Amino acid sequence: MKKLIITSVSVVALLSFIVGCKEDPHIPTIEQETESSSIPSNKPILPETTPSISPDTDKEALEVEEAIKSIIPEGWNILELIQGEPVIAEGDLNKDSIQDIATVIEKNVVDQTASPRSLLIAFGGKNNTYSVSIIADNVILNADEGGVWGDPFDSLIIDRGSVLVSDYGGSNWRWYNKYRFRYQAKDWFLIGATMGSYFTGTTTIDKSDEDDINLLTGEFIQRRTDEKGNTTTKKGNTTTKKGNRGKKALIRLKEFNLENM
């Protein structure tokens, strides 16, 4: 009986060895995975954590927002496309090494019509103070002017010392516009514009009909798309057309009107 038990154990051990030899050598064990990890095995693997915003940073952001609210006209508020995230861009716009701001403000209304919107730009001062440079009423589209797409407001950023406003809307036919404003000669001017459109059934935004112009130099790039979604000029021999229309008087931001664009 004792001999039978020893024989059985030997058989089991032999079978285990055979099965182990048939395992895929390319599949790493847990130990192998740990050693091949980008984290050295002699360093502890810490649990993933979500970066937190320091209290000082959060406090400063709130102070800036409160300072901006103090210069907004009565009956208006800062636009929030997402609750708790006001549309505010920061950057140096008048080259004095102090942060300035651009924001979209919306009028408080009690009826169901879309609220009027305006672009407000203010220069920064000491101790988080701001002074209004301009409030432009004909730059930002209202929430009901985007067609089936919905609210056409896309973004507001400060880029290379200028204010860039973008909107986007439509349905099967989509359209988009980008307007760049810069402070110079103690006034605000439109210095660049990009306007495009495309049919979603045949093409995408990267192959849209688009006109891009640098109003400072007069240089422009024109792109056109055929019925098959291929970019082509009217002659059909190139994808884009470049040229210079010559310098013209710049449009002042005070006189800018989307309807005339």
Side-chain angles (χ1 to χ4, degrees), residues 38-87:
S38 59
I39 303 176
S41 58
N42 62 337
K43 291 185 178 181
I45 300 177
L46 301 177
E48 294 184 0
T49 58
T50 303
S52 59
I53 300 175
S54 67
D56 291 340
T57 302
D58 194 38
K59 181 181 179 181
E60 183 178 352
L62 289 174
E63 289 177 352
V64 170
E65 187 176 341
E66 288 302 316
I68 296 172
K69 288 180 179 179
S70 68
I71 61 174
I72 294 176
E74 185 177 354
W76 292 69
N77 60 275
I78 302 174
L79 175 66
E80 293 186 2
L81 295 181
I82 300 176
Q83 188 174 2
E85 297 183 14
V87 177

Side-chain angles (χ1 to χ4, degrees), residues 135-154:
I135 296 179
D137 297 326
N138 299 312
V139 179
I140 310 297
L141 292 171
N142 295 340
D144 61 351
E145 296 183 291
V148 176
W149 178 260
D151 193 332
F153 178 77
D154 186 46

Side-chain angles (χ1 to χ4, degrees), residues 7-256:
T7 302
S8 299
V9 171
S10 300
V11 172
V12 171
L14 178 62
L15 289 174
S16 299
F17 175 79
I18 294 173
V19 172
C21 291
K22 290 184 178 180
E23 286 183 352
D24 189 350
H26 298 294
I27 300 177
T29 62
I30 295 177
E31 290 79 6
Q32 289 173 328
E33 287 181 341
T34 302
E35 291 175 358
S36 64
S37 171
S38 59
I39 303 176
S41 58
N42 62 337
K43 291 185 178 181
I45 300 177
L46 301 177
E48 294 184 0
T49 58
T50 303
S52 59
I53 300 175
S54 67
D56 291 340
T57 302
D58 194 38
K59 181 181 179 181
E60 183 178 352
L62 289 174
E63 289 177 352
V64 170
E65 187 176 341
E66 288 302 316
I68 296 172
K69 288 180 179 179
S70 68
I71 61 174
I72 294 176
E74 185 177 354
W76 292 69
N77 60 275
I78 302 174
L79 175 66
E80 293 186 2
L81 295 181
I82 300 176
Q83 188 174 2
E85 297 183 14
V87 177
I88 301 172
E90 294 184 85
D92 187 3
L93 295 170
N94 58 353
K95 300 179 180 179
D96 63 354
S97 300
I98 299 177
Q99 290 290 87
D100 309 309
I101 63 99
T103 184
V104 175
I105 57 175
E106 191 172 50
K107 190 173 183 179
N108 300 325
V109 294
V110 294
D111 54 23
Q112 297 300 313
T113 61
S115 303
R117 292 172 174 175
S118 296
L119 171 66
L120 184 152
I121 303 174
F123 293 138
K126 296 180 179 179
N127 302 320
N128 288 331
T129 59
Y130 295 94
S131 59
V132 176
S133 175
I134 189 171
I135 296 179
D137 297 326
N138 299 312
V139 179
I140 310 297
L141 292 171
N142 295 340
D144 61 351
E145 296 183 291
V148 176
W149 178 260
D151 193 332
F153 178 77
D154 186 46
S155 65
L156 170 69
I157 64 172
I158 291 178
D159 174 63
R160 291 175 291 169
S162 58
V163 176
L164 184 63
V165 178
S166 303
D167 48 50
Y168 182 95
S171 55
N172 290 332
W173 275 99
R174 300 285 173 83
W175 51 263
Y176 59 91
N177 303 304
K178 296 181 180 181
Y179 302 108
R180 185 181 292 273
F181 302 96
R182 191 170 75 180
Y183 185 74
Q184 58 186 47
K186 298 182 179 181
D187 203 351
W188 288 93
F189 296 91
L190 174 69
I191 64 167
T194 303
M195 294 164 283
S197 64
Y198 65 100
F199 180 59
T200 57
T202 58
T203 189
T204 55
I205 191 170
D206 60 315
K207 293 184 178 180
S208 60
D209 289 347
E210 183 179 280
D211 292 280
D212 181 78
I213 183 168
N214 183 330
L215 296 168
L216 291 171
T217 64
E219 295 177 345
F220 68 85
I221 301 175
Q222 182 186 77
R223 182 175 66 199
R224 292 293 179 265
T225 304
D226 63 20
E227 294 178 355
K228 296 181 180 180
N230 300 315
T231 53
T232 177
T233 60
K234 293 180 180 179
K235 294 182 180 180
N237 55 4
T238 58
T239 57
T240 58
K241 177 182 178 181
K242 298 181 180 180
N244 193 310
R245 68 168 198 171
K247 295 182 180 180
K248 297 184 179 181
L250 297 176
I251 300 173
R252 299 172 67 198
L253 178 52
K254 289 180 180 179
E255 300 165 353
F256 178 87

